[in-house]
Structures are given as structure tokens and as C-alpha cells.
Amino acid sequence: MPDRPRHYLRQQLRWMRGTTVRHLWWLRHMPLRSLGFWMPVVEYPHLVLALLVPVAVLATP
């Protein structure tokens, strides 16, 4: 575990970059009927919703 915030942030960005590259590879090479294709397809909208829903809840009076 990195002991400084900057090192932690850089580690997370590295991992995120690797995951994105891996997801793009899966989308290109996996058949449409496989779980390996659909997991990244579902994961990105899920990430967006996970960021937007709390904002919407906090913004609602």
C-alpha cells in the first residue's frame, strides 16, 4: 500500500489504465455471446450511475 496520497493516486491511475486496455481487448476479441464481452459493457454504465445517483439524491430537496 502506498504511504503517500500522490503514490496512491498514481497506482490507481495505473490500474485503471490497465483495466481499460484489457476491457477494450475483450470487446474486440470476445464473441458477443460470452460473459467476457458483456461484463465490461455493463460495468461502464454502472460506474456512471454510481457517480450520478448520489449527486442526484443530494441535489433533490
Side-chain angles (χ1 to χ4, degrees):
M1 181 71 182
D3 57 350
R4 296 185 183 153
R6 180 170 167 80
H7 292 166
Y8 176 74
L9 187 61
R10 291 183 67 181
Q11 178 193 50
Q12 293 301 309
L13 288 173
R14 243 187 350 264
W15 289 357
M16 186 178 6
R17 200 169 35 243
T19 300
T20 302
V21 168
R22 194 167 32 257
H23 283 173
L24 292 174
W25 187 92
W26 289 343
L27 290 175
R28 183 174 181 187
H29 295 287
M30 291 286 184
L32 285 173
R33 296 180 63 176
S34 72
L35 189 60
F37 178 86
W38 288 104
M39 288 302 290
V41 170
V42 172
E43 188 174 337
Y44 284 106
H46 181 256
L47 175 64
V48 171
L49 287 174
L51 295 172
L52 292 179
V53 167
V55 171
V57 168
L58 291 174
T60 305

